[in-house]
DNA sequence: AATGTCATGTAACTAGTTACATGATTTA
DNA sequence: TAAATCATGTAACTAGTTACATGACATT
C-alpha cells in the first residue's frame, strides 16, 4: 500500500475530526498547514484513492463529512512511527514536523520520545557534517555559496534547539 | 517560456562552469545542493528541454560538457531578480536561498541588496503574523500542534537573523 | 433575482520517479 | 580482462496543477 504525503496530511486532519473535502481544502488554503495544494484537482482524487483503500469512509452524500477508518488509523500510526533516516532530516524536515503534529493521541509517549531523540541525533549528526565541511572548505567557497551554506547551518542549529526543547517538554508532560 | 526550478538549478550550476550531464547528476547526488533528484530520468530530459529552448548548448558528443548560452544567462538573470512574494518566503525559502547562491556574478550589488531587503522584510512580516497567531491561539491549541507551530516560528526567526547578517555582509563587501 | 459560498468532480497537461538498457573509458 | 566508473537515454507510471464545469444552498 503506497501512500503519498498528501494522503497522510489528509488522514492527519481527519484524525482531528471528520470533515468534508471542501473543509480539508479550506484548511490547506487558509492555514500554514503543510503547504499542500488546496486545488480540487488534488484533494478529491486523493480522497477517492483513500476511500478505495478503505482508509476513510463517509461523504457519500453531498456535504456529508468524511471520516478516517480504523484501518486508516493503523496505516497512519505506521507512517508516524516508521524509522526516520538522515536523508529525511536533511531534506524533509517539514514532513517530520507534520508527523509530530499528528502524533498527539495516536502514538504513545514512549514512541514520541523515541521519535524526537532520533530526530535530534540525526539533526546533530547532519549539522556536524555541515560544520566540518564549512570549516574545511569555507574560505575557498565563492561568497554567495558560502553564505547560502551558512543559511543551512543556521537552519539546522535552530532545528536542533527545537528538538531539544521539545523533547524536554514531552518528557515533563504529566 | 516556462521553466522549472530544476531547470534553474541546472542553469545555475552551468553558470559556474560547463559540465556534462553526469557531472550535474553527481553534484545533485553528493552535495546538499538543492535536494533535487540526480536520477538520469530527470536530468537528461531537463537538459534536452533547455537545449531546445536555446538556453544551453554543447554536449553533442559523449562526454563533452554543456554550457549555458547568452540567452540562458538572460533567462537566469530574469529568474534571479523577479520580485519575491510573501508566499515564496512562507513556503519556498529554499528556492530563494538557491537564487541567492547563484547571484554571485550575474546580478549587481544593488539588486542583491534589494533582494535581501525584500527577503528580510517579508520574513519579518510573516514571522510577525505567526507570532500574533501564537499569542492569540497558542493556549487553546493541542500540544503537538502548538509545538509544531513553534518550530515554524523558530525557523523564521533564524531566517530573519540570516537575512540581517547577510545583508550586512553584502553591504560591507568591497 | 443575483451573488457568494459550499461542494464535488474531471480532462489535459506537466514533470518527476523508477527501472531498465546501453556503451565507452579507466583502473586494478 | 574484469570491474568500476563515466555517460546518456527511454518507457511506463504516478501524482499534482490548471482550468473548466456543475449544482446546491444561503444571503442580500
Amino acid at each position: 500500500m503506497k501512500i503519498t504525503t498528501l494522503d497522510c496530511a489528509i488522514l492527519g486532519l481527519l484524525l482531528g475530526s471528520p470533515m468534508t473535502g471542501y473543509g480539508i481544502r479550506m484548511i490547506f488554503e487558509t492555514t500554514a498547514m503543510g503547504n499542500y495544494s488546496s486545488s480540487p484537482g488534488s484533494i478529491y482524487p486523493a480522497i477517492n484513492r483513500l476511500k478505495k483503500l478503505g482508509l476513510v469512509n463517509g461523504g457519500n452524500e453531498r456535504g456529508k463529512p468524511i471520516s478516517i477508518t480504523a484501518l486508516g488509523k493503523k496505516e497512519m500510526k505506521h507512517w508516524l512511527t516508521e524509522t526516520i533516516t538522515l536523508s529525511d532530516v536533511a531534506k524533509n524536515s517539514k514532513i517530520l514536523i507534520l508527523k509530530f503534529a499528528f502524533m498527539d493521541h495516536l502514538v504513545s509517549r514512549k514512541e514520541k520520545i523515541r521519535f524526537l531523540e532520533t530526530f535530534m541525533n540525526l539533526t546533530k549528526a547532519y549539522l556536524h557534517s555541515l560544520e566540518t565541511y564549512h570549516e574545511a572548505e569555507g574560505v575557498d567557497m565563492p561568497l554567495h555559496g558560502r553564505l547560502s551554506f551558512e543559511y543551512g547551518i543556521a537552519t539546522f542549529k535552530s532545528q536542533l534547539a527545537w528538538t531539544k526543547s521539545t523533547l524536554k517538554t514531552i518528557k515533563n508532560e504529566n
Side-chain angles (χ1 to χ4, degrees), chain A residues 46-67:
Chain A
I47 288 171
N48 292 330
R49 270 202 306 276
L50 293 170
K51 260 188 198 169
K52 217 174 269 175
L53 292 169
L55 306 182
V56 304
N57 60 21
N60 301 315
E61 281 168 75
R62 203 193 112 87
K64 293 285 176 210
I66 295 145
S67 304

Side-chain angles (χ1 to χ4, degrees), chain A residues 9-30:
Chain A
I10 291 172
L11 287 177
L13 282 181
L14 295 178
L15 227 41
S17 73
M19 56 180 90
T20 64
Y22 185 78
I24 294 168
R25 285 182 55 213
M26 288 307 103
I27 287 180
F28 285 155
E29 198 164 296
T30 58

Side-chain angles (χ1 to χ4, degrees), chain A residues 90-106:
Chain A
K91 35 181 119 171
N92 273 322
S93 297
K94 270 184 187 174
I95 292 177
L96 297 179
I97 299 300
L98 188 68
K99 281 189 182 188
F100 183 75
F102 289 150
M103 276 185 192
D104 242 327
H105 303 301
L106 210 55

Side-chain angles (χ1 to χ4, degrees), chain A residues 1-12 28 36 42-43 45-47 49-50 53 55 75-76 79 82 95 98-99 102:
Chain A
M1 196 182 293
K2 238 187 63 189
I3 262 187
T4 67
T5 326
L6 176 61
D7 292 340
C8 290
I10 291 172
L11 287 177
F28 285 155
Y36 296 102
S42 65
I43 303 295
I47 288 171
R49 270 202 306 276
L50 293 170
L53 292 169
L55 306 182
E75 192 61 30
M76 200 57 191
W79 182 68
E82 70 189 356
I95 292 177
L98 188 68
K99 281 189 182 188
F102 289 150

Side-chain angles (χ1 to χ4, degrees), chain A residues 55-121:
Chain A
L55 306 182
V56 304
N57 60 21
N60 301 315
E61 281 168 75
R62 203 193 112 87
K64 293 285 176 210
I66 295 145
S67 304
I68 186 167
T69 63
L71 186 60
K73 280 186 189 173
K74 200 183 145 196
E75 192 61 30
M76 200 57 191
K77 193 172 171 182
H78 173 258
W79 182 68
L80 291 177
T81 54
E82 70 189 356
T83 307
I84 65 180
T85 66
L86 185 61
S87 136
D88 291 332
V89 170
K91 35 181 119 171
N92 273 322
S93 297
K94 270 184 187 174
I95 292 177
L96 297 179
I97 299 300
L98 188 68
K99 281 189 182 188
F100 183 75
F102 289 150
M103 276 185 192
D104 242 327
H105 303 301
L106 210 55
V107 158
S108 73
R109 175 209 185 85
K110 207 176 149 186
E111 283 169 313
K112 289 176 189 176
I113 290 173
R114 193 179 86 95
F115 175 88
L116 284 172
E117 277 172 348
T118 313
F119 193 4
M120 182 182 74
N121 289 327

